[in-house]
Amino acid sequence: MSRSRRILYAFTLLSGFAAQAYGITFNLHMRKRHFTNEQISAIVSANLWGSAIFGLVLALILSKCDRRKLLLFSSLTVGVIMVLRAIVYNFPAQIFLALVSGAISSLSGIVFTTVLLGGTGIKERYSVFGSQFSLSMLANVLGNVLGGTMADRLGYTFTLLLAAGLQLVAASLVSKVQHVGGDSQFLRRLSLDAVQKRVLSYYVLSNVLVGFGAGLFLNFSNLMFHDLFGFSLTYVGLIMALAQLMTAAGSLSSGFLQKRFGALRMLLICYTSVVPLMLSISFIRDPVTFSILYVVRFMLMNMVNPSFTVLVFNNLPDSMIMSANGLGNLLNNSSRAFAAYLYGWIVEGPADYTKLLLISSLFYALNALLTWWFKSRLEKLVS
């Protein structure tokens, strides 16, 4: 394993822990500061719009720059903004900070993926992305458990500031990564063959459908568990940690499953299985059963992310990977942003979560149908 890859894995652990500890705490921190559901959903929506639109714009403008420097700049900036979001309680200021945070975080994610791909051969990508994803899930597990516990015992503001500090430490590691040059192509001269065009179309449409379905509730899971069952952040953190631990275990086994069934068949099985789980949690209100089904849903939907990413990028020209990643990020986060905005209007009380989750189920079902269509036409033609 190269030194740069080890550093990127360490960056994944630290930044992933920081982001998860921050994320599980932030919404309830805003609730404690007397922000309403509509205001919190507007803040989340602004963050996602920033990630969707301005993150892509920044990636395009700065695409010729050294990607190591871009990753260092964006990671440091994310840490600084995390500090500001924790201590500023003015609603318009929070909207602005959320927008900027989303844009810079998106840029960081796009550049990180490109840097990781840049040092990885095509045959290695499934294993490298699987390992990186498992580390990310491990970081999320620790972030959920320790973040929720710290928030309950040491205070929300302390937890948010500690997470911001860890993000700054993670950013400092990037200076040790080897140089990775830029590439200015953005879907320019769209010289794609028929298979590549269908792969790109599937990538785009799937990002939109999953983004909207997840955006309705995923960013508000801490509020959902609190509203439905009165769970403290410690219990919410444990549930999310279990979900991510199961996802990490699932992603480690995904290589074997992929060899046995093929990447597309594995995607179809997981995406289809999620639909009845979503319908179930729309109506079940027993806290134990609800939590178990939520964990299984989360695992199935997320354990195949590395396979989805590599399947798509292996079948597109290398010069388009950064721009395709940015386009997918734009569409996924745009649909999440719109869905997140709707949360504040749909959910006025615990009973409204049934309606919210049923709407989300519809979009997961459409994504499963899209995957079936794609598999039936291209399974033998994609790698």
Side-chain angles (χ1 to χ4, degrees):
M1 184 189 298
S2 68
R3 181 169 179 265
S4 289
R5 191 179 299 170
R6 286 197 298 271
I7 293 170
L8 291 173
Y9 283 165
F11 174 85
T12 295
L13 279 170
L14 278 175
S15 63
F17 176 89
Q20 199 65 37
Y22 199 94
I24 196 172
T25 307
F26 183 78
N27 285 347
L28 280 172
H29 176 63
M30 291 291 100
R31 175 80 65 81
K32 293 289 185 182
R33 296 291 173 176
H34 308 295
F35 283 72
T36 66
N37 269 1
E38 288 81 5
Q39 288 175 320
I40 294 171
S41 67
I43 292 169
V44 172
S45 183
N47 183 262
L48 291 167
W49 280 120
S51 180
I53 299 173
F54 297 109
L56 177 60
V57 171
L58 284 174
L60 297 180
I61 292 172
L62 301 173
S63 61
K64 292 184 180 181
C65 297
D66 183 307
R67 288 171 185 167
R68 180 190 62 181
K69 293 179 180 177
L70 274 182
L71 186 57
L72 177 61
F73 162 76
S74 58
S75 302
L76 286 171
T77 306
V78 166
V80 172
I81 295 174
M82 287 167 74
V83 172
L84 294 174
R85 295 183 74 195
I87 60 177
V88 172
Y89 305 126
N90 176 268
F91 177 60
Q94 277 289 344
I95 291 290
F96 173 75
L97 289 171
L99 197 68
V100 176
S101 175
I104 302 298
S105 297
S106 173
L107 174 65
S108 181
I110 292 170
V111 175
F112 177 84
T113 300
T114 310
V115 169
L116 190 61
L117 278 171
T120 307
I122 290 179
K123 293 183 179 180
E124 296 180 280
R125 286 179 180 174
Y126 280 109
S127 61
V128 169
F129 267 78
S131 299
Q132 186 271 333
F133 185 73
S134 295
L135 285 174
S136 176
M137 287 296 102
L138 174 61
N140 290 346
V141 167
L142 296 174
N144 275 313
V145 173
L146 298 179
T149 303
M150 284 189 300
D152 281 337
R153 296 186 179 183
L154 302 175
Y156 291 6
T157 303
F158 173 84
T159 303
L160 294 174
L161 292 176
L162 178 63
L166 290 175
Q167 171 63 33
L168 293 172
V169 172
S172 69
L173 297 175
V174 177
S175 60
K176 300 176 182 179
V177 175
Q178 68 183 19
H179 166 84
V180 182
D183 181 0
S184 61
Q185 180 168 341
F186 175 67
L187 303 182
R188 192 174 59 198
R189 301 173 187 172
L190 199 61
S191 54
L192 302 177
D193 60 33
V195 172
Q196 290 171 333
K197 288 179 180 177
R198 288 193 178 184
V199 168
L200 185 60
S201 298
Y202 171 63
Y203 180 63
V204 165
L205 291 172
S206 183
N207 268 297
V208 170
L209 293 171
V210 172
F212 192 89
L216 283 170
F217 74 97
L218 201 59
N219 290 95
F220 307 101
S221 293
N222 49 1
L223 297 180
M224 180 172 68
F225 279 105
H226 182 272
D227 291 343
L228 290 177
F229 309 116
F231 286 174
S232 69
L233 262 184
T234 298
Y235 286 116
V236 176
L238 288 172
I239 292 167
M240 296 304 298
L242 178 61
Q244 285 156 341
L245 190 63
M246 294 292 290
T247 302
S251 69
L252 287 174
S253 64
S254 64
F256 167 77
L257 295 173
Q258 183 180 290
K259 289 179 182 178
R260 183 176 179 84
F261 300 108
L264 272 172
R265 186 174 298 177
M266 189 171 69
L267 286 175
L268 181 60
I269 291 170
C270 290
Y271 289 165
T272 303
S273 301
V274 162
V275 179
L277 292 172
M278 284 298 304
L279 291 171
S280 298
I281 66 173
S282 299
F283 298 100
I284 290 173
R285 291 299 175 262
D286 173 71
V288 175
T289 306
F290 184 96
S291 299
I292 291 171
L293 294 177
Y294 181 93
V295 167
V296 176
R297 185 219 70 83
F298 189 96
M299 178 191 71
L300 291 174
M301 201 65 209
N302 290 284
M303 64 179 274
V304 292
N305 279 346
S307 296
F308 176 73
T309 300
V310 177
L311 173 72
V312 171
F313 291 166
N314 271 359
N315 290 281
L316 293 176
D318 285 346
S319 59
M320 283 183 58
I321 287 176
M322 184 168 177
S323 55
N325 189 20
L327 179 62
N329 184 75
L330 165 69
L331 296 168
N332 183 276
N333 283 304
S334 294
S335 56
R336 280 176 183 257
F338 181 63
Y341 183 74
L342 292 179
Y343 168 88
W345 295 98
I346 295 173
V347 177
E348 296 180 354
D352 295 321
Y353 282 102
T354 296
K355 186 195 311 180
L356 185 83
L357 292 169
L358 282 174
I359 297 170
S360 179
S361 301
L362 172 63
F363 285 86
Y364 281 112
L366 290 173
N367 182 62
L369 287 173
L370 174 69
T371 303
W372 173 82
W373 175 87
F374 183 73
K375 175 184 177 297
S376 66
R377 284 159 176 76
L378 292 178
E379 185 172 20
K380 295 181 180 179
L381 300 177
V382 296
S383 57

